[in-house]
Amino acid sequence: MQRGSLIVASAGIGIGQCTVEARSAIEDADIVLSVMGDPFLQQWVAALNPKTRSLQSHYGSQPNRRAAYSAMVDEILVHVRAGLNVCAVFYGHAGVYVTPSHEAIAQARAEGFDAIMLPGVSADACLVADLGVDPGAHGFQSYEAHAFFRRRPRFDTSAALVLWQLAVLGDDAFTRLEPDYEAVAALATLLCEHYPVDHRVAIYAASTLPVLTASVQQTELALLATARIDQSSTLYVPALALG
Ligand SMILES: C[S@@+](CC[C@H](N)C(=O)[O-])C[C@H]1O[C@@H](n2cnc3c(N)ncnc32)[C@H](O)[C@@H]1O
């Protein structure tokens, strides 16, 4: 029996952003297990390899997101142990704010299988392009919004701040799918302790299709909770100008 292996591949945020090496990994795999944010991206992956199965259903069948991630890792490992060359493909960069990709690789390696990750285009790479900001200009801090609010890490207002996963801010139970605007207002209050209330911030969502444009909602920080927020929303807080 052939020895199983695992390639964790990145599909990019939008159609057309998958790298040549990730595309080959998808096409050549014995089985592809996918987690795509966008149905068109899911269809595109399935067209590359008909042996594609979505792992998305675990979100619905498990009590919370942590349990869903664990079920995804279990399913990936079942096929690796069965001797298949498995490609697990995640949207964006598979290693950026993704728990099951890292856990699957760690588990596969712990069991003696070859396991690698192929990098890709993440949401912050799109943000840099669409907002025209250079992380090298002032520095670039990146946090998961809920963890940022709960842990209150020391951060630097003279560098840009990127907060991911606004839609699950305030969700201690890892179950919610809809944004909690009271939690967003509480985050705004916290940030207003460090920035002027009228500091201009952007709620950013990259386009996933070439026919669409990115969504960039500019607002004053104090009005953050009046913005429209969904699963794609990433908050960009520009650096404060140094006196
Ligand atoms: C679980 S993380 C996955 C990130 C993904 N692996 C990546 O490389 O961008 C989900 C978060 O990524 C960000 N995100 C996902 N899709 C996005 C998009 N189209 N535009 C902007 N941010 C996005 C949002 O902050 C969202 O809450």
Side-chain angles (χ1 to χ4, degrees), residues 181-203:
Y181 286 95
E182 281 182 21
V184 175
L187 174 69
T189 303
L190 170 69
L191 290 173
C192 284
E193 292 172 14
H194 302 270
Y195 300 90
V197 291
D198 60 353
H199 191 54
R200 300 289 292 176
V201 301
I203 295 91

Side-chain angles (χ1 to χ4, degrees), residues 33-52:
L33 301 167
S34 63
V35 182
M36 295 295 119
D38 182 278
F40 289 107
L41 210 49
Q42 172 63 31
Q43 280 176 26
W44 183 79
V45 170
L48 288 181
N49 189 328
K51 287 164 284 175
T52 296

Side-chain angles (χ1 to χ4, degrees), residues 10-14 16-19 91-94 96 119-126:
S10 306
I13 292 290
Q17 293 177 346
C18 187
T19 64
Y91 76 92
H93 186 310
V96 174
V121 177
S122 53
D124 57 350
C126 298

Side-chain angles (χ1 to χ4, degrees), residues 13 91-94 96-98 121-124 163-167 204-208 230-234:
I13 292 290
Y91 76 92
H93 186 310
V96 174
Y97 291 87
V98 182
V121 177
S122 53
D124 57 350
L163 295 181
W164 300 64
Q165 304 204 138
L166 276 189
Y204 169 74
S207 162
T208 53
D230 65 21
Q231 294 295 330
S232 302
S233 300
T234 299

Side-chain angles (χ1 to χ4, degrees), residues 52-146:
T52 296
R53 285 160 54 164
S54 171
L55 295 177
Q56 208 79 20
S57 60
H58 289 299
Y59 286 119
S61 62
Q62 297 295 326
N64 58 47
R65 283 195 300 286
R66 282 218 171 109
Y69 299 154
S70 187
M72 288 176 190
V73 174
D74 289 347
E75 185 169 343
I76 292 167
L77 264 294
V78 162
H79 297 291
V80 175
R81 291 182 197 120
L84 299 182
N85 294 315
V86 178
C87 178
V89 56
F90 294 81
Y91 76 92
H93 186 310
V96 174
Y97 291 87
V98 182
T99 304
S101 58
H102 289 288
E103 287 186 353
I105 286 182
Q107 185 63 37
R109 287 180 180 163
E111 295 181 24
F113 298 104
D114 287 341
I116 59 165
M117 181 182 287
L118 303 178
V121 177
S122 53
D124 57 350
C126 298
L127 180 152
V128 163
D130 286 327
L131 300 189
V133 295
D134 185 343
H138 305 287
F140 205 71
Q141 305 158 103
S142 172
Y143 293 94
E144 201 277 330
H146 185 68

